[in-house]
Amino acid sequence: SQTIHQWPATLVQPVGSPLSLECTVEGTSNPNLYWYRQAAGRGLQLLFYSVGIGQISSEVPQNLSASRPQDRQFILSSKKLLLSDSGFYLCAWSLTVMGQGYGYTFGSGTRLTVV
Amino acid sequence: AQKITQTQPGMFVQEKEAVTLDCTYDTSDQSYGLFWYKQPSSGEMIFLIYQGSYDEQNATEGRYSLNFQKARKSANLVISASQLGDSAMYFCAMREATSGSARQLTFGSGTQLTVLP
């Protein structure tokens, strides 16, 4: 069965420090991968998505970046964190086949607090 | 314009009663999918139910059912026999055929459901 792992679960980082969040998927090949951010009490904002190794699309301009070095690995990074980067970050995967009805499978999330 | 609208920021329901969470959507696609997710306080996103735009029957999954009214572009979630564990944030989401190969989901702003004992 497919599983998705995301870590760390919580992170407190000072302003200006770098960031690296990792997400890996098991049990499937060539998934679509996504990074979402959720501000406290708000909905989900799509940050990046990837349809293949090295293919990254950005939805929102910001000081974050994403990379997909392997088929089932998706990394969210920043060189210098801002206070506004605080939030709950969720990684998700989905199949690429059109017609698949079961949406995304999400990781357990990373709660990032920038201080 | 908002693609997914959830007009109820918060809802209360008595334990064992049914509750309807509203969701309206906006799309010009003929082929699309509608989803509901539950997010408890732990933060994980749990898939609940799916409705395809060509599905003639309303989707059901245990105590969850989706009241799909295509002409009105609404996809309300009905939870029957509410339980205390149903207290959570609920998100409606849509996946459009023309959203590209990535098939991104667009989420509503959510409804916080509180089940009262």
Side-chain angles (χ1 to χ4, degrees):
Chain A
S1 63
Q2 301 94 347
T3 55
I4 179 168
H5 303 279
Q6 187 180 342
W7 67 92
T10 59
L11 194 59
V12 180
Q13 292 283 98
V15 168
S17 63
L19 173 74
S20 181
L21 303 180
E22 189 164 341
C23 173
T24 58
V25 180
E26 296 178 358
T28 188
S29 296
N30 195 31
N32 287 342
L33 296 171
Y34 309 85
W35 278 111
Y36 279 85
R37 177 169 62 197
Q38 185 180 27
R42 306 287 294 275
L44 280 77
Q45 178 187 38
L46 179 64
L47 299 176
F48 300 95
Y49 66 89
S50 172
V51 300
I53 297 174
Q55 300 178 60
I56 307 295
S57 296
S58 174
E59 288 292 302
V60 181
Q62 65 236 310
N63 69 320
L64 299 171
S65 62
S67 61
R68 185 171 178 173
Q70 301 179 44
D71 181 44
R72 289 167 286 180
Q73 184 185 30
F74 205 24
I75 298 171
L76 182 69
S77 305
S78 174
K79 292 182 179 177
K80 287 186 177 182
L81 283 169
L82 305 173
L83 287 174
S84 58
D85 291 325
S86 293
F88 190 59
Y89 289 81
L90 282 158
C91 179
W93 76 272
S94 74
L95 294 176
T96 59
V97 176
M98 184 59 184
Q100 165 55 242
Y102 289 96
Y104 294 179
T105 301
F106 285 87
S108 53
T110 296
R111 202 165 300 279
L112 172 67
T113 304
V114 183
V115 297
Chain B
Q2 294 281 348
K3 290 207 169 191
I4 297 286
T5 302
Q6 294 181 254
T7 58
Q8 306 153 315
M11 288 280 287
F12 292 88
V13 64
Q14 209 66 41
E15 194 178 7
K16 299 181 185 177
E17 292 187 350
V19 63
T20 298
L21 306 184
D22 294 342
C23 173
T24 57
Y25 59 92
D26 182 26
T27 181
S28 55
D29 284 4
Q30 295 302 308
S31 177
Y32 52 89
L34 297 158
F35 304 79
W36 278 91
Y37 285 86
K38 172 184 177 181
Q39 187 180 40
S41 57
S42 59
E44 60 189 309
M45 292 286 284
I46 302 168
F47 165 74
L48 295 179
I49 197 167
Y50 164 79
Q51 179 85 41
S53 57
Y54 292 118
D55 295 340
E56 294 186 355
Q57 303 276 353
N58 284 346
T60 60
E61 289 285 348
R63 294 186 298 111
Y64 303 108
S65 60
L66 201 152
N67 184 2
F68 182 46
Q69 298 187 43
K70 195 170 182 177
R72 296 180 58 191
K73 293 188 176 178
S74 75
N76 298 340
L77 177 70
V78 180
I79 305 175
S80 63
S82 298
Q83 302 172 356
L84 294 178
D86 293 334
S87 293
M89 181 74 89
Y90 289 80
F91 290 98
C92 179
M94 177 173 63
R95 199 176 200 186
E96 297 168 282
T98 56
S99 60
S101 60
R103 307 281 188 265
Q104 297 99 310
L105 277 179
T106 303
F107 287 85
S109 55
T111 295
Q112 180 68 48
L113 176 67
T114 302
V115 180
L116 303 171

